[in-house]
Amino acid sequence: MAIVLLITTAIAVMFYITVMIYLWRAEGSVEEEYIEQPKTVSPATKIIALILRKMITSIEAMLVAVSLCIMAIMSSLITSYMYTSTTIDMSGYTNSYNFIGIANNINAIYNIRNIFNTSPLLIVVQLYEPITLRNTSIMLYPLVLYCNPYSSQINSDWIERTCKLLQNGEYMMILNKNIYLNTSSVYINNNTFKIVYSDIGYVTDIAIAPSIPLVHSIGSMGGTILKIENASMITIASIPIDRVESLCRNSCSVKIIALSHLNISNIYEDAKKYLGLFDTVILRLNNHGYVYSNNVIPSPITVIGISIMILSSIIISLSVSGALIEKFVDIGRKLITIGITSEFYSASFIAGLVIFFAFWGIPITVLVSLGIVNTLSILSYIMMSIGNIALFFYVAIPKLERIGKGYSEATLSYITTSSIDLTSLKKCIVTNLESDEFFDLGEVELIEEKGVNIIRIELLYRRAIATLASIEIYIRRFNSTTNLNTIVDVWSLEELSGRVTQGLTQLVLSKMYGVLRTCTESS
């Protein structure tokens, strides 16, 4: 534990130092950075970079990230797995054997024979690559059976019958009696087999367990396993168990089924002992079959532990990140005043958080690649990061939406106590709008009348054809205050949807709010 924490701390410190060197070389700090309208760089890129710098230079964000890394590593230390399992009804099947092992790798044959060398054992090998008998058009699917010296202890008629067939010697091909070849032997893949005829039709009627036939399965339909029904398509091959692979021309596609009768004391522990050898193990107790697969899932203790850590990470974030969230809200407020919508800032905000937490996932990935912690640490870190991103989002974004809703209508009223010179105000508006990224400044007109003054502005939207925003600012003085009432009308020669028109209107209103605030406070 101490070594793991030491390595994690070292990686985190190196990462932090690297980032700080980058920021030191950069000009200015986050608070000093002027948020201007970008020209050659995407606005989203600028905002994401701003959020990342704020996160990296924030002690609160670093505490959250380090705590997430430590808890992700701790989740690896409490990780335990269990094999997937289910229960099947075996009341209609013989109880002569209480152990069924199923493997799909040809190499498992040798280990199976050695492990069960003192127990009754029948090995069934279903070869799915058919063999063609020379000088004939007959194609047969080999069914290799192996009985060890204790197989007779499995009290089953079909097992006894099958093992007697195999007692006539090795290198035999037992064909169904309705097939006749004009030869007494066949040569298959450098092996010479003696031909023997017998009634082997019974093998197609045997089911070892539900959905596990003795013969080859060829698919399924509606949950029902389809098998070879014609015994003339099968040959029972008698061959030394270590020579089974020689029946395959290419790679061996097989299903190996081992049947035995064991003394079962603890079902789960006994199954776990054999799952390293088999892909599936079925242990029978009375009329129930307990099926265990070598696929593993996290144990309940692990799931509970990870859930507690996710909850703890959110609590830690809530306790230390309040000031950080307010900083993001303040940034969003400033961006909204210069025309950035709350939706646009929300998307950029989430992207910045994702990138930040993804960078802090690098130390966990390094530890996993070195084998120091297991892969569940990455999953734990991802889940905790998602929880923290959701926390930041649901706390910060509603505050931004409340700010943005103030300028969502087509009119805007702004009241100031500052003394306003109309000529200076017009000049300031022109200065702020003539370098705008989204609009070209057209006509600006100042109309001075008794009781009310009007500034008329036309903005041409750069990203559409003949789309204009007409702005009228009505300026009225009441004693020591001045009321600036702004009306925006967006129109276009193109057919714009209501959503696009509303978006452009909100964008113009947001810009005008920022411009009027800037110009009245500076005058």
Side-chain angles (χ1 to χ4, degrees):
M1 177 65 180
I3 295 176
V4 173
L5 290 177
L6 181 62
I7 294 176
T8 306
T9 304
I11 294 175
V13 169
M14 292 174 61
F15 177 75
Y16 186 76
I17 291 174
T18 302
V19 172
M20 291 304 297
I21 291 174
Y22 166 77
L23 292 177
W24 176 73
R25 295 186 62 184
E27 294 183 0
S29 64
V30 175
E31 284 73 14
E32 297 170 355
E33 180 170 340
Y34 174 62
I35 307 174
E36 61 178 353
Q37 294 293 333
K39 297 300 183 292
T40 59
V41 180
S42 166
T45 304
K46 293 281 288 183
I47 297 173
I48 291 172
L50 182 63
I51 291 171
L52 286 175
R53 290 187 183 181
K54 178 68 72 174
M55 294 285 286
I56 292 171
T57 56
S58 170
I59 298 298
E60 299 98 328
M62 289 300 170
L63 286 175
V64 172
V66 171
S67 65
L68 260 61
C69 290
I70 293 175
M71 284 190 284
I73 293 171
M74 290 175 61
S75 68
S76 174
L77 302 178
I78 65 170
T79 298
S80 61
Y81 297 96
M82 58 184 298
Y83 293 103
T84 56
S85 63
T86 187
T87 304
I88 58 176
D89 181 18
M90 296 191 65
S91 56
Y93 299 85
T94 178
N95 59 1
S96 301
Y97 44 84
N98 61 0
F99 174 89
I100 304 173
I102 302 174
N104 298 303
N105 188 346
I106 189 67
N107 296 323
I109 293 178
Y110 316 113
N111 295 327
I112 294 172
R113 183 183 61 176
N114 295 334
I115 290 176
F116 292 87
N117 58 353
T118 59
S119 302
L121 175 67
L122 172 69
I123 300 178
V124 180
V125 183
Q126 303 170 355
L127 292 170
Y128 284 86
E129 183 180 357
I131 57 175
T132 303
L133 301 182
R134 183 173 294 181
N135 299 325
T136 70
S137 60
I138 298 175
M139 295 181 60
L140 301 172
Y141 287 89
L143 187 67
V144 180
L145 301 174
Y146 169 78
C147 302
N148 77 348
Y150 307 96
S151 298
S152 59
Q153 297 179 20
I154 305 178
N155 186 19
S156 173
D157 292 338
W158 72 266
I159 292 178
E160 181 180 357
R161 180 178 178 180
T162 304
C163 290
K164 282 184 178 180
L165 285 174
L166 301 176
Q167 290 176 356
N168 296 325
E170 295 181 337
Y171 292 100
M172 291 190 308
M173 283 286 180
I174 304 174
L175 308 182
N176 200 30
K177 62 181 181 179
N178 61 355
I179 298 178
Y180 178 75
L181 299 179
N182 190 22
T183 180
S184 60
S185 63
V186 291
Y187 186 76
I188 301 173
N189 297 342
N190 300 322
N191 297 303
T192 301
F193 291 86
K194 178 183 176 182
I195 298 297
V196 177
Y197 300 96
S198 181
D199 182 9
I200 61 172
Y202 69 94
V203 298
T204 61
D205 299 325
I206 297 172
I208 297 172
S211 302
I212 307 177
L214 176 64
V215 297
H216 310 65
S217 57
I218 56 177
S220 63
M221 180 179 294
T224 302
I225 298 297
L226 305 179
K227 62 180 180 178
I228 296 177
E229 300 287 351
N230 187 358
S232 300
M233 298 176 62
I234 298 171
T235 176
I236 297 178
S238 175
I239 188 173
I241 200 69
D242 55 354
R243 293 282 298 160
V244 172
E245 198 170 358
S246 64
L247 291 175
C248 305
R249 291 190 303 272
N250 303 310
S251 60
C252 267
S253 176
V254 301
K255 177 184 286 186
I256 302 169
I257 304 173
L259 307 178
S260 185
H261 194 90
L262 305 175
N263 293 321
I264 299 175
S265 55
N266 184 299
I267 290 179
Y268 181 74
E269 293 298 326
D270 289 338
K272 189 167 66 172
K273 181 169 62 176
Y274 294 105
L275 278 172
L277 179 61
F278 297 97
D279 298 309
T280 305
V281 168
I282 304 175
L283 297 179
R284 177 169 180 161
L285 188 62
N286 298 323
N287 290 327
H288 298 285
Y290 298 90
V291 184
Y292 291 89
S293 170
N294 60 4
N295 298 320
V296 294
I297 57 175
S299 66
I301 295 177
T302 302
V303 174
I304 293 173
I306 293 177
S307 300
I308 292 174
M309 289 184 180
I310 293 174
L311 183 60
S312 300
S313 70
I314 294 176
I315 293 174
I316 292 174
S317 296
L318 280 172
S319 61
V320 303
S321 60
L324 180 63
I325 291 175
E326 289 301 323
K327 292 178 183 178
F328 289 132
V329 173
D330 185 60
I331 292 174
R333 184 182 294 110
K334 294 177 180 178
L335 290 171
I336 287 174
T337 61
I338 63 171
I340 299 298
T341 63
S342 60
E343 293 81 4
F344 186 82
Y345 178 69
S346 300
S348 302
F349 177 60
I350 294 300
L353 292 178
V354 170
I355 294 173
F356 174 78
F357 284 109
F359 274 129
W360 273 96
I362 294 175
I364 306 297
T365 307
V366 172
L367 293 178
V368 170
S369 64
L370 294 176
I372 298 175
V373 297
N374 57 37
T375 53
L376 195 62
S377 297
I378 295 179
L379 178 61
S380 301
Y381 180 80
I382 292 174
M383 295 174 67
M384 288 187 288
S385 299
I386 292 174
N388 280 269
I389 291 172
L391 171 68
F392 279 96
F393 181 81
Y394 284 110
V395 173
I397 298 307
K399 297 182 179 180
L400 293 174
E401 290 178 347
R402 287 196 295 270
I403 297 170
K405 285 180 181 178
Y407 333 119
S408 59
E409 301 298 329
T411 61
L412 170 67
S413 293
Y414 186 83
I415 300 175
T416 181
T417 57
S418 303
S419 177
I420 296 178
D421 179 74
L422 295 179
T423 304
S424 300
L425 177 62
K426 175 185 174 183
K427 183 178 180 181
C428 181
I429 291 174
V430 171
T431 301
N432 281 274
L433 291 179
E434 64 183 358
S435 60
D436 190 80
E437 178 190 10
F438 298 101
F439 296 95
D440 281 323
L441 182 61
E443 181 182 356
V444 180
E445 181 184 6
L446 173 60
I447 303 173
E448 298 186 45
E449 296 181 359
K450 184 178 180 180
V452 62
N453 299 293
I454 304 173
I455 298 179
R456 290 176 177 172
I457 306 168
E458 285 190 358
L459 297 177
L460 177 63
Y461 187 52
R462 294 185 178 185
R463 302 184 181 183
I465 299 175
T467 299
L468 298 176
S470 297
I471 305 168
E472 292 183 350
I473 305 174
Y474 292 86
I475 306 169
R476 293 181 175 89
R477 292 184 174 89
F478 298 96
N479 298 326
S480 61
T481 62
T482 303
N483 186 357
L484 295 92
N485 189 30
T486 304
I487 300 175
V488 175
D489 180 26
V490 175
W491 62 278
S492 176
L493 295 179
E494 296 183 63
E495 185 176 351
L496 300 180
S497 66
R499 182 172 180 178
V500 173
T501 303
Q502 183 183 9
L504 288 174
T505 302
Q506 293 181 9
L507 178 61
V508 174
L509 284 171
S510 298
K511 287 182 177 296
M512 291 310 302
Y513 175 82
V515 169
L516 292 177
R517 183 176 177 180
T518 301
C519 292
T520 55
E521 291 181 356
S522 62
S523 61

mmCIF file of all heavy atoms in Angstrom, residues 11-12 34 52 67 75 93 103 108 117 119 126 156 160 183 198 205 213 222 287 323 335 365 373 427 440 474 483 498:
data_model
loop_
_atom_site.group_PDB
_atom_site.id
_atom_site.type_symbol
_atom_site.label_atom_id
_atom_site.label_comp_id
_atom_site.label_asym_id
_atom_site.label_seq_id
_atom_site.Cartn_x
_atom_site.Cartn_y
_atom_site.Cartn_z
ATOM 1 N N ILE A 11 4.165 10.459 -9.380
ATOM 2 C CA ILE A 11 3.618 10.764 -10.707
ATOM 3 C C ILE A 11 2.805 12.049 -10.674
ATOM 4 O O ILE A 11 2.900 12.904 -11.561
ATOM 5 C CB ILE A 11 2.763 9.586 -11.207
ATOM 6 C CG1 ILE A 11 3.642 8.352 -11.435
ATOM 7 C CG2 ILE A 11 2.036 9.954 -12.497
ATOM 8 C CD1 ILE A 11 2.864 7.112 -11.818
ATOM 9 N N ALA A 12 2.000 12.209 -9.623
ATOM 10 C CA ALA A 12 1.173 13.413 -9.505
ATOM 11 C C ALA A 12 2.030 14.665 -9.365
ATOM 12 O O ALA A 12 1.747 15.700 -9.973
ATOM 13 C CB ALA A 12 0.236 13.268 -8.299
ATOM 14 N N TYR A 34 -7.176 38.625 -20.727
ATOM 15 C CA TYR A 34 -8.256 39.405 -21.338
ATOM 16 C C TYR A 34 -9.070 38.485 -22.240
ATOM 17 O O TYR A 34 -8.538 37.858 -23.154
ATOM 18 C CB TYR A 34 -7.675 40.550 -22.158
ATOM 19 C CG TYR A 34 -8.718 41.313 -22.950
ATOM 20 C CD1 TYR A 34 -9.748 41.997 -22.292
ATOM 21 C CD2 TYR A 34 -8.674 41.334 -24.333
ATOM 22 C CE1 TYR A 34 -10.701 42.689 -23.014
ATOM 23 C CE2 TYR A 34 -9.624 42.019 -25.059
ATOM 24 C CZ TYR A 34 -10.631 42.694 -24.395
ATOM 25 O OH TYR A 34 -11.568 43.382 -25.107
ATOM 26 N N LEU A 52 -9.312 25.082 -18.199
ATOM 27 C CA LEU A 52 -8.217 24.195 -17.799
ATOM 28 C C LEU A 52 -7.171 24.934 -16.973
ATOM 29 O O LEU A 52 -6.665 24.410 -15.969
ATOM 30 C CB LEU A 52 -7.569 23.575 -19.046
ATOM 31 C CG LEU A 52 -8.377 22.473 -19.740
ATOM 32 C CD1 LEU A 52 -7.674 22.035 -21.017
ATOM 33 C CD2 LEU A 52 -8.551 21.284 -18.816
ATOM 34 N N SER A 67 -7.486 13.208 -4.615
ATOM 35 C CA SER A 67 -8.337 12.313 -3.820
ATOM 36 C C SER A 67 -8.976 11.251 -4.698
ATOM 37 O O SER A 67 -9.095 10.086 -4.302
ATOM 38 C CB SER A 67 -9.404 13.121 -3.085
ATOM 39 O OG SER A 67 -10.298 13.740 -4.002
ATOM 40 N N SER A 75 -9.515 1.302 -4.387
ATOM 41 C CA SER A 75 -10.534 0.375 -4.889
ATOM 42 C C SER A 75 -9.902 -0.889 -5.449
ATOM 43 O O SER A 75 -10.504 -1.973 -5.402
ATOM 44 C CB SER A 75 -11.384 1.055 -5.959
ATOM 45 O OG SER A 75 -10.625 1.302 -7.143
ATOM 46 N N TYR A 93 -32.525 -36.120 -15.711
ATOM 47 C CA TYR A 93 -31.260 -36.640 -16.233
ATOM 48 C C TYR A 93 -30.639 -37.603 -15.227
ATOM 49 O O TYR A 93 -30.854 -37.482 -14.017
ATOM 50 C CB TYR A 93 -30.299 -35.489 -16.525
ATOM 51 C CG TYR A 93 -30.833 -34.530 -17.568
ATOM 52 C CD1 TYR A 93 -31.690 -33.490 -17.200
ATOM 53 C CD2 TYR A 93 -30.519 -34.687 -18.904
ATOM 54 C CE1 TYR A 93 -32.213 -32.626 -18.149
ATOM 55 C CE2 TYR A 93 -31.030 -33.827 -19.860
ATOM 56 C CZ TYR A 93 -31.874 -32.805 -19.476
ATOM 57 O OH TYR A 93 -32.382 -31.954 -20.421
ATOM 58 N N ALA A 103 -14.980 -27.645 -21.977
ATOM 59 C CA ALA A 103 -13.859 -26.820 -22.436
ATOM 60 C C ALA A 103 -13.921 -26.695 -23.952
ATOM 61 O O ALA A 103 -14.438 -27.581 -24.639
ATOM 62 C CB ALA A 103 -12.532 -27.412 -21.999
ATOM 63 N N ALA A 108 -6.800 -28.704 -23.484
ATOM 64 C CA ALA A 108 -7.299 -29.056 -22.158
ATOM 65 C C ALA A 108 -7.396 -30.560 -21.959
ATOM 66 O O ALA A 108 -7.455 -31.037 -20.821
ATOM 67 C CB ALA A 108 -8.666 -28.411 -21.936
ATOM 68 N N ASN A 117 -6.994 -38.776 -12.912
ATOM 69 C CA ASN A 117 -6.390 -40.085 -13.134
ATOM 70 C C ASN A 117 -6.819 -41.134 -12.116
ATOM 71 O O ASN A 117 -6.654 -42.333 -12.334
ATOM 72 C CB ASN A 117 -4.857 -39.975 -13.152
ATOM 73 C CG ASN A 117 -4.323 -39.380 -11.863
ATOM 74 O OD1 ASN A 117 -5.078 -38.933 -11.007
ATOM 75 N ND2 ASN A 117 -2.999 -39.364 -11.734
ATOM 76 N N SER A 119 -10.041 -40.898 -10.620
ATOM 77 C CA SER A 119 -11.497 -40.778 -10.512
ATOM 78 C C SER A 119 -12.135 -41.340 -11.768
ATOM 79 O O SER A 119 -11.521 -41.354 -12.843
ATOM 80 C CB SER A 119 -11.899 -39.305 -10.337
ATOM 81 O OG SER A 119 -11.293 -38.740 -9.205
ATOM 82 N N GLN A 126 -16.053 -33.500 -29.208
ATOM 83 C CA GLN A 126 -16.815 -33.249 -30.426
ATOM 84 C C GLN A 126 -15.955 -32.423 -31.371
ATOM 85 O O GLN A 126 -15.639 -31.270 -31.090
ATOM 86 C CB GLN A 126 -18.115 -32.506 -30.112
ATOM 87 C CG GLN A 126 -19.028 -33.213 -29.122
ATOM 88 C CD GLN A 126 -20.170 -32.337 -28.653
ATOM 89 O OE1 GLN A 126 -20.238 -31.157 -28.985
ATOM 90 N NE2 GLN A 126 -21.082 -32.911 -27.860
ATOM 91 N N SER A 156 -24.026 -45.982 -15.566
ATOM 92 C CA SER A 156 -24.893 -45.485 -16.631
ATOM 93 C C SER A 156 -24.849 -46.473 -17.786
ATOM 94 O O SER A 156 -23.768 -46.918 -18.209
ATOM 95 C CB SER A 156 -24.428 -44.108 -17.098
ATOM 96 O OG SER A 156 -25.146 -43.691 -18.232
ATOM 97 N N GLU A 160 -21.599 -47.329 -20.141
ATOM 98 C CA GLU A 160 -21.079 -48.709 -20.152
ATOM 99 C C GLU A 160 -21.064 -49.258 -21.567
ATOM 100 O O GLU A 160 -20.095 -49.902 -21.995
ATOM 101 C CB GLU A 160 -21.937 -49.572 -19.239
ATOM 102 C CG GLU A 160 -21.475 -51.013 -19.151
ATOM 103 C CD GLU A 160 -22.365 -51.840 -18.235
ATOM 104 O OE1 GLU A 160 -23.300 -51.272 -17.632
ATOM 105 O OE2 GLU A 160 -22.118 -53.069 -18.142
ATOM 106 N N THR A 183 -14.105 -51.496 -47.848
ATOM 107 C CA THR A 183 -12.733 -51.514 -47.335
ATOM 108 C C THR A 183 -12.791 -51.785 -45.852
ATOM 109 O O THR A 183 -13.808 -51.522 -45.193
ATOM 110 C CB THR A 183 -12.028 -50.170 -47.600
ATOM 111 O OG1 THR A 183 -10.693 -50.234 -47.085
ATOM 112 C CG2 THR A 183 -12.748 -49.026 -46.921
ATOM 113 N N SER A 198 -21.445 -50.727 -36.081
ATOM 114 C CA SER A 198 -22.244 -50.996 -34.891
ATOM 115 C C SER A 198 -23.459 -50.071 -34.904
ATOM 116 O O SER A 198 -23.505 -49.086 -35.657
ATOM 117 C CB SER A 198 -21.416 -50.774 -33.620
ATOM 118 O OG SER A 198 -22.178 -51.062 -32.470
ATOM 119 N N ASP A 205 -29.614 -39.617 -29.158
ATOM 120 C CA ASP A 205 -30.745 -39.426 -28.244
ATOM 121 C C ASP A 205 -30.305 -39.054 -26.834
ATOM 122 O O ASP A 205 -31.155 -38.826 -25.966
ATOM 123 C CB ASP A 205 -31.576 -40.715 -28.164
ATOM 124 C CG ASP A 205 -32.144 -41.107 -29.520
ATOM 125 O OD1 ASP A 205 -32.485 -40.183 -30.293
ATOM 126 O OD2 ASP A 205 -32.234 -42.315 -29.800
ATOM 127 N N PRO A 213 -26.181 -31.747 -25.615
ATOM 128 C CA PRO A 213 -26.296 -33.096 -26.185
ATOM 129 C C PRO A 213 -24.943 -33.793 -26.234
ATOM 130 O O PRO A 213 -23.890 -33.148 -26.195
ATOM 131 C CB PRO A 213 -26.838 -32.825 -27.595
ATOM 132 C CG PRO A 213 -26.335 -31.452 -27.927
ATOM 133 C CD PRO A 213 -26.286 -30.702 -26.633
ATOM 134 N N GLY A 222 -34.851 -20.304 -31.125
ATOM 135 C CA GLY A 222 -35.835 -20.047 -30.085
ATOM 136 C C GLY A 222 -35.430 -20.599 -28.734
ATOM 137 O O GLY A 222 -36.280 -21.038 -27.961
ATOM 138 N N ASN A 287 -31.381 -32.827 -7.421
ATOM 139 C CA ASN A 287 -31.932 -32.604 -8.761
ATOM 140 C C ASN A 287 -31.583 -31.227 -9.323
ATOM 141 O O ASN A 287 -32.209 -30.773 -10.285
ATOM 142 C CB ASN A 287 -33.452 -32.765 -8.739
ATOM 143 C CG ASN A 287 -33.873 -34.207 -8.537
ATOM 144 O OD1 ASN A 287 -33.192 -35.131 -8.999
ATOM 145 N ND2 ASN A 287 -34.988 -34.418 -7.841
ATOM 146 N N ALA A 323 -15.733 27.450 -3.651
ATOM 147 C CA ALA A 323 -15.110 28.667 -4.181
ATOM 148 C C ALA A 323 -14.757 28.505 -5.653
ATOM 149 O O ALA A 323 -14.867 29.450 -6.440
ATOM 150 C CB ALA A 323 -13.866 29.004 -3.367
ATOM 151 N N LEU A 335 -18.366 36.219 -19.678
ATOM 152 C CA LEU A 335 -18.486 35.805 -21.076
ATOM 153 C C LEU A 335 -19.870 36.109 -21.628
ATOM 154 O O LEU A 335 -20.022 36.476 -22.800
ATOM 155 C CB LEU A 335 -18.192 34.304 -21.196
ATOM 156 C CG LEU A 335 -16.729 33.892 -20.966
ATOM 157 C CD1 LEU A 335 -16.604 32.381 -20.904
ATOM 158 C CD2 LEU A 335 -15.845 34.425 -22.089
ATOM 159 N N THR A 365 -3.637 4.927 -15.316
ATOM 160 C CA THR A 365 -3.362 4.073 -16.476
ATOM 161 C C THR A 365 -1.933 3.538 -16.437
ATOM 162 O O THR A 365 -1.682 2.366 -16.769
ATOM 163 C CB THR A 365 -3.603 4.862 -17.779
ATOM 164 O OG1 THR A 365 -4.910 5.432 -17.765
ATOM 165 C CG2 THR A 365 -3.466 3.959 -18.988
ATOM 166 N N VAL A 373 -1.683 -2.016 -10.008
ATOM 167 C CA VAL A 373 -3.097 -2.079 -9.635
ATOM 168 C C VAL A 373 -3.853 -2.740 -10.775
ATOM 169 O O VAL A 373 -3.350 -2.854 -11.901
ATOM 170 C CB VAL A 373 -3.669 -0.673 -9.343
ATOM 171 C CG1 VAL A 373 -2.973 -0.042 -8.154
ATOM 172 C CG2 VAL A 373 -3.536 0.232 -10.571
ATOM 173 N N LYS A 427 -19.584 56.910 -29.872
ATOM 174 C CA LYS A 427 -18.217 56.547 -30.251
ATOM 175 C C LYS A 427 -17.785 55.265 -29.558
ATOM 176 O O LYS A 427 -17.128 54.396 -30.156
ATOM 177 C CB LYS A 427 -17.278 57.698 -29.919
ATOM 178 C CG LYS A 427 -15.846 57.464 -30.338
ATOM 179 C CD LYS A 427 -14.973 58.678 -30.021
ATOM 180 C CE LYS A 427 -13.526 58.431 -30.438
ATOM 181 N NZ LYS A 427 -12.657 59.587 -30.105
ATOM 182 N N ASP A 440 -20.663 42.466 -38.785
ATOM 183 C CA ASP A 440 -20.037 43.658 -39.372
ATOM 184 C C ASP A 440 -20.894 44.862 -39.000
ATOM 185 O O ASP A 440 -22.135 44.819 -39.085
ATOM 186 C CB ASP A 440 -19.960 43.532 -40.893
ATOM 187 C CG ASP A 440 -18.813 42.638 -41.333
ATOM 188 O OD1 ASP A 440 -17.749 42.690 -40.678
ATOM 189 O OD2 ASP A 440 -18.999 41.868 -42.294
ATOM 190 N N TYR A 474 -33.185 53.647 -27.014
ATOM 191 C CA TYR A 474 -33.923 54.837 -26.586
ATOM 192 C C TYR A 474 -33.349 55.290 -25.248
ATOM 193 O O TYR A 474 -33.340 54.532 -24.266
ATOM 194 C CB TYR A 474 -35.406 54.521 -26.444
ATOM 195 C CG TYR A 474 -36.082 54.220 -27.776
ATOM 196 C CD1 TYR A 474 -36.068 52.926 -28.297
ATOM 197 C CD2 TYR A 474 -36.695 55.229 -28.490
ATOM 198 C CE1 TYR A 474 -36.673 52.643 -29.509
ATOM 199 C CE2 TYR A 474 -37.314 54.962 -29.717
ATOM 200 C CZ TYR A 474 -37.293 53.668 -30.225
ATOM 201 O OH TYR A 474 -37.891 53.400 -31.430
ATOM 202 N N ASN A 483 -32.179 55.941 -18.419
ATOM 203 C CA ASN A 483 -32.732 54.656 -18.834
ATOM 204 C C ASN A 483 -32.392 54.431 -20.302
ATOM 205 O O ASN A 483 -32.767 55.237 -21.167
ATOM 206 C CB ASN A 483 -34.246 54.653 -18.628
ATOM 207 C CG ASN A 483 -34.843 53.275 -18.914
ATOM 208 O OD1 ASN A 483 -34.134 52.361 -19.318
ATOM 209 N ND2 ASN A 483 -36.147 53.147 -18.712
ATOM 210 N N GLY A 498 -37.328 29.689 -36.312
ATOM 211 C CA GLY A 498 -37.562 30.480 -35.114
ATOM 212 C C GLY A 498 -36.439 30.349 -34.113
ATOM 213 O O GLY A 498 -36.071 31.325 -33.434
#
